[in-house]
Amino acid sequence: MSENKMKKTILKIKENLSDFAEGFFKEQAAGILEKEIEDFNDMFMILCFGDLLGIPTPASYYTLELLPYFIGEIDRWESRINRRSKVFSERCARYDFCC
Amino acid sequence: MTSVVEKVIGKKFTFFSGKGGVGKSTCAAATALFISENDRKTLLVSTDPAHSLSDVFNKKIGRSIFSITEHLDALEIDPSFEAKKYVRRVKSDISGIISPVLISEIKKQIEIAYLTPGAEEAAIFDKFIEITQNKKLNYDNIVFDTAPTGHTLRLLSLPKILGVWIDSLIEKRRKIVQLKKSVDRIYGRKGKNNEDPLLSLLLKRRSRFELARKILLDKNRTCFIFVVTPEKLSIAETKMSVELLKKYKIEITGLIINRITPEVKNGSPFLEKRRKIELQNIEHLNALLKVNILAKIPLLDMDIQGIEQLRKLREYI
């Protein structure tokens, strides 16, 4: 009986450890990658739709056909841009290595 | 066969360019007519938004292929129609992908596309690529009557400019797709392994731009003829465009000098003076450009309109 109980406890500890590892390492790694995706997405957006911000694009005519495949991402992108209060703070957070 | 037709007949694509009002359309139409009379199926295409082929042939040529003689067809590209067709396609693409609520949201964007600078050029450029790539159009020769110099130079330089732009877009998108896959892998998610539709769209565009570039640079398939009048302004503009085209590695095949004042017996001193100036200008042109002069067409005592009158140019072109 007690052997079985011990097995259960060990299993539980193992599970918790793996949860911890996943939470700690995976989230952090994915977070870094996601930040990078955001960066590239920003650049992509400016290259595509910069003419709406006053940056001339040589081919705004051709970016139109990209729009249908983009619309989901535009939504997310727009809300992210709207949400952040300061551009600099977002930038600086990227170099915050302590945690 | 005379010089121009001889030079051009072996090339699938011929472009006529020059300053506005020098007689490009007439020369292009005459050349196309004479090529077609050598038993070759010929298509004459106007890329000038202000078309004049209809006036040259005295027939209503439109945006779909119009048969002029047995072997000669003509077409005037209608940029606003092509742009609308493109926008309609995008709209139908959209309705297949996203919800109607979002569609109304981006309709604004779509309407802007009509108005963006360069939309007309891009529409003409797309049609041009379509004509060169369409295998159903079974022509031996295709002659392009292009818009005045500035417009044409833009058209010819588009593939290079757009190439640079689309390259950087593709690079960024690739990176995004790659990073997204990495994130999926971290979480052990089975990412959708199918091709990113945006990326494949961009790649398709790029390959079309590259095809256009290849055609424009291929000396075995393509030739460029400039039409000039023996006047200072016309020559200056031609010099500028020849140099600009050289930058894009496009070489001019030859020149047609149009509307030279003819020698008239007992001519007035007025005409004689004019003739002298023109001869000087032609000499100057020769020294300046070092491009073959393929034909010299004198000022005629009538307007050229319709096939019968175009045939009068045969001895020159």
Side-chain angles (χ1 to χ4, degrees):
Chain A
M1 240 0 213
S2 84
E3 199 184 322
N4 224 346
K5 210 175 177 185
M6 200 130 106
K7 249 187 191 167
K8 247 186 191 166
T9 320
I10 288 173
L11 259 177
K12 191 131 203 184
I13 290 172
K14 217 174 145 191
E15 211 172 88
N16 280 339
L17 265 176
S18 96
D19 274 357
F20 171 75
E22 186 162 331
F24 190 77
F25 296 113
K26 277 193 179 174
E27 286 290 334
Q28 206 171 22
I32 290 169
L33 286 177
E34 246 145 31
K35 278 258 158 17
E36 204 164 336
I37 291 175
E38 278 170 8
D39 263 359
F40 276 106
N41 229 350
D42 285 354
M43 281 192 266
F44 195 82
M45 284 294 187
I46 287 178
L47 277 174
C48 270
F49 303 109
D51 52 333
L52 300 178
L53 297 170
I55 302 164
T57 316
S60 41
Y61 181 79
Y62 292 111
T63 58
L64 186 69
E65 66 175 0
L66 305 177
L67 212 53
Y69 303 95
F70 227 4
I71 194 74
E73 283 172 49
I74 284 185
D75 249 20
R76 224 181 310 141
W77 182 73
E78 204 180 6
S79 68
R80 180 171 76 81
I81 296 296
N82 283 337
R83 231 185 311 120
R84 60 182 185 181
S85 52
K86 284 191 176 74
V87 178
F88 280 124
S89 62
E90 198 195 76
R91 278 274 137 194
C92 293
R94 208 151 292 184
Y95 302 104
D96 187 5
F97 297 116
C98 64
C99 46
Chain B
M1 264 196 271
T2 42
S3 189
V4 177
V5 176
E6 202 179 314
K7 252 286 168 346
V8 160
I9 202 161
K11 310 280 169 80
K12 176 138 194 207
F13 305 106
T14 307
F15 290 84
F16 277 84
S17 189
K19 197 175 183 312
V22 293
K24 280 185 302 294
S25 295
T26 309
C27 287
T31 309
L33 180 67
F34 303 148
I35 292 172
S36 74
E37 284 174 350
N38 280 300
D39 242 0
R40 292 175 72 89
K41 242 178 115 36
T42 308
L43 177 67
L44 177 61
V45 181
S46 164
T47 66
D48 187 348
H51 297 295
S52 40
L53 287 187
S54 290
D55 301 324
V56 172
F57 284 104
N58 220 352
K59 278 175 180 157
K60 189 120 189 52
I61 299 165
R63 61 186 176 225
S64 44
I65 289 175
F66 181 91
S67 171
I68 290 176
T69 64
E70 195 196 337
H71 288 300
L72 178 63
D73 292 346
L75 170 73
E76 288 175 336
I77 296 178
D78 179 348
S80 69
F81 172 75
E82 299 301 331
K84 269 181 200 152
K85 210 164 76 181
Y86 168 71
V87 169
R88 228 181 296 135
R89 201 201 77 211
V90 174
K91 272 185 180 163
S92 75
D93 277 4
I94 287 175
S95 52
I97 293 172
I98 56 175
S99 73
V101 183
L102 284 172
I103 291 177
S104 67
E105 191 56 34
I106 56 170
K107 268 209 172 121
K108 273 177 278 168
Q109 276 259 358
I110 292 176
E111 295 312 318
I112 288 169
Y114 275 117
L115 309 170
T116 46
E120 266 195 8
E121 282 159 1
I124 291 174
F125 182 65
D126 279 2
K127 186 74 184 172
F128 157 71
I129 297 175
E130 191 195 313
I131 288 168
T132 55
Q133 296 307 312
N134 194 340
K135 295 233 161 56
K136 273 186 229 148
L137 299 177
N138 206 2
Y139 290 100
D140 299 314
N141 288 71
I142 299 179
V143 178
F144 290 96
D145 169 28
T146 67
T149 324
H151 235 267
T152 309
L153 291 178
R154 271 287 292 171
L155 191 71
L156 298 180
S157 58
L158 264 181
K160 197 174 180 185
I161 297 167
L162 294 177
V164 172
W165 171 79
I166 210 159
D167 275 349
S168 73
L169 270 192
I170 286 172
E171 181 208 327
K172 302 267 174 327
R173 189 66 198 178
R174 270 217 175 107
K175 205 85 198 187
I176 291 171
V177 171
Q178 201 187 329
L179 285 169
K180 274 187 179 161
K181 270 190 187 145
S182 307
V183 173
D184 281 345
R185 221 174 296 133
I186 288 174
Y187 288 124
R189 272 185 297 214
K190 268 255 158 85
K192 292 161 253 158
N193 220 5
N194 45 357
E195 185 84 12
D196 180 43
L198 233 165
L199 193 56
S200 54
L201 209 61
L202 285 171
L203 289 171
K204 211 168 100 193
R205 267 279 166 221
R206 181 167 72 177
S207 74
R208 298 194 88 192
F209 293 156
E210 266 164 14
L211 272 172
R213 237 167 95 68
K214 233 185 242 161
I215 285 173
L216 291 175
L217 296 179
D218 187 351
K219 279 181 205 147
N220 297 321
R221 277 194 293 172
T222 310
C223 60
F224 292 86
I225 307 257
F226 264 79
V227 183
V228 281
T229 50
E231 290 158 332
K232 278 227 166 77
L233 290 186
S234 170
I235 290 169
E237 192 169 310
T238 305
K239 177 178 180 269
M240 194 194 72
S241 28
V242 168
E243 278 165 5
L244 235 157
L245 284 183
K246 227 179 230 163
K247 243 197 202 161
Y248 293 108
K249 306 224 162 49
I250 293 172
E251 223 170 276
I252 307 302
T253 316
L255 295 174
I256 293 176
I257 305 181
N258 194 13
R259 255 182 249 144
I260 303 171
T261 309
E263 206 170 357
V264 188
K265 258 185 200 165
N266 308 321
S268 70
F270 174 81
L271 283 181
E272 267 316 303
K273 193 174 171 199
R274 185 72 225 153
R275 233 182 92 73
K276 240 188 209 157
I277 292 173
E278 286 179 359
L279 286 177
Q280 269 172 19
N281 283 342
I282 291 172
E283 231 167 76
H284 184 59
L285 174 71
N286 254 332
L288 209 60
L289 286 181
K290 299 192 181 65
V291 178
N292 283 344
I293 294 173
L294 298 177
K296 288 181 178 176
I297 304 172
L299 184 68
L300 300 173
D301 57 0
M302 51 165 189
D303 281 342
I304 300 284
Q305 206 178 34
I307 289 175
E308 283 318 306
Q309 286 177 344
L310 276 174
R311 289 211 172 99
K312 295 218 161 93
L313 293 176
R314 161 151 282 167
E315 56 176 308
Y316 307 110
I317 285 184

